[in-house]
Amino acid sequence: MDDQGVEPEEVEDPNGALRSFAEVAKAFRKRSRLTQEEMAERIGYSVQYVGSVEQARRYPSERFVDRMESELDCFGAVKGAARHLTKPRRVASWFKKWALLEPAAVSLYTYECRMVPGLLQREEYARGIFAERVPPLEDARIEAQVAGRLERQHILRDLPNSSFSFIIEQSVFDRHFGGREVMRDQVDHILGLIRLRNVTVQIMPKEQAEHAGHDGPIRLLETPDHQWLAYSEGQRTGVLISDPSEVSILHQRYAKLRSQALNPADSLGLLEQTRGTL
């Protein structure tokens, strides 16, 4: 379920870089004569988010940094301060091994039948998933999990020479998780990512009679030394699979799923059609 667990909310700042960034961000806000409320509205974040960043209680997202730079004319100072940040991975303990492998992946294949894959999730869609957790999570932990998920997504653009393949069940989009507006935004996000040359999305249509993925989601990854690994996840557990014979079986199933799903062009057409109904 893509790092669904919750890690402790304590913010780590071993070298003081987060506190330094907070002071720089606060200084440029005040230089622009903006209150936190005005700043939040201007860059499209909540007042709570801005306050937490300025108090060094949370790491800023890349988008936050970019918005500050563009809206407040920070002369590159905010981006410079952000480069010194070493953000801890906010993912479930059982997902950490896989999360550490993703940023160096040569190839990464994902079949998902339950939800939009984490690497493709829009912020509000991801927030809805964590907000629906049972037992309920505190707001701060929800935001921490969302931040961790969005952080992982940078690899799609950071690794332009790596191959990312996604096969997603059509029913995932028909469910309208989070409501029509959230799903509309989610589909638009995927349509934008499809334009990246290293990202391929295929949709498994509902009427497909032959299906090699009945046993559940599949995740495969090729390391820089061309070793293939797999990952299997349950309700509150996850297992990294390195046994070549087991990985081979999942590889065969994924290859079969690719042949059974709509090709990329037809998948694009189906997503555009779905977008039109939202």
Side-chain angles (χ1 to χ4, degrees):
M1 294 183 187
D2 262 39
D3 59 308
Q4 290 270 40
V6 178
E7 292 299 299
E9 180 58 17
E10 181 181 353
V11 177
E12 300 175 15
D13 186 25
N15 58 6
L18 180 58
R19 292 188 295 276
S20 296
F21 177 88
E23 291 300 322
V24 171
K26 186 188 301 182
F28 274 96
R29 174 179 62 77
K30 290 183 175 181
R31 169 182 173 272
S32 299
R33 300 183 184 278
L34 296 174
T35 64
Q36 287 188 349
E37 289 79 5
E38 291 168 335
M39 165 84 162
E41 183 177 358
R42 189 161 173 176
I43 67 174
Y45 278 82
S46 69
V47 178
Q48 292 78 10
Y49 191 105
V50 173
S52 293
V53 169
E54 290 191 357
Q55 295 170 37
R57 291 191 289 107
R58 75 180 303 157
Y59 281 79
S61 68
E62 183 176 320
R63 179 177 177 273
F64 180 93
V65 173
D66 289 341
R67 293 288 294 169
M68 271 206 72
E69 280 287 351
S70 63
E71 292 295 326
L72 275 62
D73 192 18
C74 299
F75 312 110
V78 170
K79 282 191 174 181
R83 279 196 291 269
H84 297 287
L85 296 175
T86 303
K87 187 186 297 185
R89 307 289 296 186
R90 299 187 223 185
V91 298
S93 56
W94 58 81
F95 190 75
K96 282 184 176 179
K97 289 183 179 179
W98 185 263
L100 290 171
L101 291 167
E102 285 182 334
V106 174
S107 304
L108 198 153
Y109 300 163
T110 303
Y111 162 65
E112 185 55 75
C113 56
R114 308 160 300 178
M115 66 184 76
V116 172
L119 289 175
L120 302 181
Q121 287 177 10
R122 193 66 161 162
E123 183 171 343
E124 287 306 313
Y125 185 96
R127 183 171 288 107
I129 288 175
F130 291 116
E132 291 293 323
R133 285 295 305 277
V134 178
L137 306 179
E138 296 179 358
D139 289 347
R141 292 195 172 187
I142 291 174
E143 292 305 313
Q145 291 298 98
V146 171
R149 180 156 296 181
L150 297 180
E151 178 191 357
R152 287 176 50 226
Q153 297 176 359
H154 297 164
I155 64 172
L156 298 178
R157 299 181 187 277
D158 291 346
L159 303 176
N161 298 319
S162 296
S163 174
F164 298 92
S165 168
F166 301 91
I167 302 173
I168 312 170
E169 292 288 338
Q170 182 181 354
S171 58
V172 168
F173 300 99
D174 291 343
R175 187 173 301 124
H176 297 168
F177 179 81
R180 289 183 177 274
E181 185 176 346
V182 170
M183 183 53 71
R184 186 186 306 121
D185 184 54
Q186 178 62 70
V187 172
D188 283 341
H189 182 60
I190 293 176
L191 289 172
L193 291 174
I194 289 176
R195 298 190 181 96
L196 299 176
R197 287 196 296 270
N198 62 335
V199 175
T200 301
V201 175
Q202 292 179 255
I203 306 300
M204 180 67 75
K206 291 182 292 186
E207 66 273 13
Q208 176 58 262
E210 298 178 351
H211 198 301
H214 292 304
D215 286 347
I218 296 174
R219 198 171 309 178
L220 296 159
L221 180 148
E222 182 184 9
T223 67
D225 60 358
H226 307 296
Q227 177 188 10
W228 281 93
L229 302 169
Y231 177 76
S232 177
E233 190 170 63
Q235 286 281 336
R236 290 183 57 78
T237 59
V239 178
L240 182 66
I241 304 169
S242 58
D243 183 340
S245 61
E246 293 296 323
V247 174
S248 176
I249 291 173
L250 295 176
H251 225 302
Q252 293 174 53
R253 291 180 182 176
Y254 194 85
K256 191 69 172 179
L257 284 167
R258 267 183 156 174
S259 69
Q260 294 168 339
L262 297 177
N263 63 44
D266 290 341
S267 296
L268 173 61
L270 181 57
L271 283 173
E272 290 175 336
Q273 179 182 340
T274 299
R275 173 62 176 81
T277 65
L278 294 169

